[in-house]
Amino acid sequence: MASYRELLRGVKSRIHEIDVRELDAQRSGAAKSVVIDVREQDEVEQGIIPGAIHIPRGYLESRVEQYVPDLETPVVAYCAAGNRSAFAAETLQQMGYKNVTSLKGGFGAWKDGGFKFVVPRDLTPAQMKRYSRHVLIPEIGKEGQLKLLDSKVLIIGAGGLGSPSGYYLAAAGVGTIGIVDSDVVDESNLQRQILHNSTRIGQPKVESAKKTLEELNPDVKVIPYQERLTRDNVLNIFGEYDLIVDGSDNFPTRYLVNDAAVLLRKTVVHGSIFRFDGQVSVFKPFEGPCYRCVFPEPPPPELAPTCDEAGTLGILPGIVGLFEANEAVKLLLGIGDPLIGRLLMIDALAVEFRTLRLKRDPNCPVCGEHKRFSGFVDYEVSTAIPQPA
Ligand SMILES: [Zn+2]
């Protein structure tokens, strides 16, 4: 039998403590430790040490390995006054963590010492519910969900590819979604462009898309651009966004998207479809090839029919658009292995997936070493095969 005081004295004799000054010095030094806040949710809402991970004491044992997989990583635990974290530190030692300390005086001492703290932004109760299946995943969690809510994604085209990617990006809680499309809804679109429906025929696609997405998720702000993407508006529009999802269906737009994205160093998630074949890639300027490195020149129009001319299986843009949405979310969260420098090729008839390695072209006119790019090429009045400047 031992009283709380005796227990605490015993624990403190078996762990190491550091004071707030030491922790502050450590945080600006090279050897970064992981700081774990073991307090309860309502305490954390009042303020937290910047960069600390919140794992309430009751969940410490079950969750810590998700956040700190390496037992060699130095860990500092803190609570309000330094007692709960002393017990937490002993538990972490028992779990095999080699370098554990408890913050003497806890968050109270940190705050009183005049050190910086932040009041964490949190998901609202409604958002906790809506995104609970994301929050449960350690790679996303609340922090990742807040990141998605802060993200701005521009979708080129509210058509076959933009429909599924827009739908799922909105459902996932990407907070701002811009959509560029000059068209109105046509009956022949409805076989695949699932953002729209029979009652919206004749309405601008961007307005129809906005209505669908904002009804699906009121957290999402949809910004419609009912215009064609041109060399005159592309830089202004792109400038507002973190990431571009290309769902365009023609070569001039793809080159324009590429060139503007390289110029502004914005990553483009690319998707394209033809009848039963789909392609997906991610073009991250200067880290992988750009669209022009891979496709230096557009094919002549007779070899590059659009969906309107060649037809497409209605399901295929759904598959390709969802791969685009998947890449977008990975890029926004900084998780996984995006398709940079790889081209995913999908054969919907054979159900075969192939991945081609793509290389940067040192002579690429937009991202190459000796780039000759000197402004946008006006494809609409140029010949079928424009020559790079
Ligand atoms: Zn290039």
Side-chain angles (χ1 to χ4, degrees), residues 258 262 288-294 360-361 364-368:
N258 180 72
V262 172
C290 78
Y291 185 74
R292 262 183 209 277
C293 292
V294 185
R360 275 184 75 185
D361 174 3
C364 171
V366 280
C367 82

Side-chain angles (χ1 to χ4, degrees), residues 23-284:
L23 177 58
D24 186 56
Q26 221 183 71
R27 284 160 53 81
S28 45
K32 284 241 184 304
S33 42
V34 173
V35 180
I36 300 179
D37 187 325
V38 300
R39 295 174 301 161
E40 300 304 312
Q41 182 62 34
D42 57 325
E43 298 176 276
V44 166
E45 281 165 14
Q46 309 303 312
I48 184 168
I49 296 178
I53 297 167
H54 177 220
I55 312 177
R57 178 66 191 89
Y59 294 98
L60 184 66
E61 294 87 340
S62 60
R63 292 190 188 162
V64 67
E65 287 162 320
Q66 292 174 5
Y67 294 97
V68 194
D70 184 357
L71 296 173
E72 306 286 334
T73 307
V75 178
V76 180
Y78 77 89
C79 59
N83 295 338
R84 278 174 289 169
S85 61
F87 288 98
E90 185 169 54
T91 302
L92 291 171
Q93 284 177 6
Q94 288 164 353
M95 290 179 76
Y97 287 93
K98 304 257 165 51
N99 182 353
V100 186
T101 49
S102 167
L103 181 65
K104 203 187 281 179
F107 185 71
W110 181 264
K111 204 172 158 184
D112 292 345
F115 295 102
K116 210 178 139 200
F117 66 94
V118 288
V119 177
R121 232 177 94 223
D122 207 353
L123 298 171
T124 63
Q127 289 172 330
M128 275 301 286
K129 200 162 186 186
R130 178 179 286 265
Y131 306 114
S132 64
R133 301 307 188 272
H134 272 169
V135 173
L136 285 168
I137 306 175
E139 287 84 351
I140 303 179
K142 261 194 232 173
E143 221 172 283
Q145 190 59 54
L146 286 165
K147 228 188 247 180
L148 291 179
L149 286 163
D150 286 340
S151 298
K152 297 178 169 185
V153 172
L154 182 70
I155 299 176
I156 314 296
L161 297 170
S163 282
S165 51
Y167 237 126
Y168 272 89
L169 290 176
V174 170
T176 304
I177 298 178
I179 304 183
V180 190
D181 201 311
S182 62
D183 272 356
V184 295
V185 178
D186 183 84
E187 204 167 2
S188 68
N189 300 147
L190 300 177
Q191 162 253 24
R192 63 197 179 284
Q193 301 182 12
I194 58 169
L195 280 175
H196 317 300
N197 64 47
S198 307
T199 66
R200 310 234 183 104
I201 291 168
Q203 292 179 19
K205 283 189 184 176
V206 288
E207 291 305 331
S208 166
K210 182 177 165 71
K211 191 166 182 341
T212 302
L213 298 180
E214 290 184 347
E215 276 175 8
L216 169 66
N217 187 350
D219 283 342
V220 178
K221 185 176 162 202
V222 175
I223 301 175
Y225 301 89
Q226 200 198 344
E227 53 195 311
R228 279 186 73 84
L229 206 59
T230 67
R231 59 209 260 180
D232 298 320
N233 62 15
V234 67
L235 294 178
N236 273 339
I237 297 176
F238 277 25
E240 299 293 314
Y241 294 89
D242 306 318
L243 184 70
I244 317 296
V245 172
D246 189 1
S248 63
D249 63 352
N250 63 84
F251 286 94
T253 304
R254 281 182 204 136
Y255 285 101
L256 181 64
V257 165
N258 180 72
D259 297 355
V262 172
L263 217 60
L264 296 174
R265 295 184 177 244
K266 307 265 179 189
T267 301
V268 176
V269 180
H270 166 83
S272 66
I273 48 167
F274 180 74
R275 291 189 176 150
F276 298 102
D277 295 316
Q279 296 186 343
V280 189
S281 191
V282 171
F283 297 114
K284 184 167 189 182

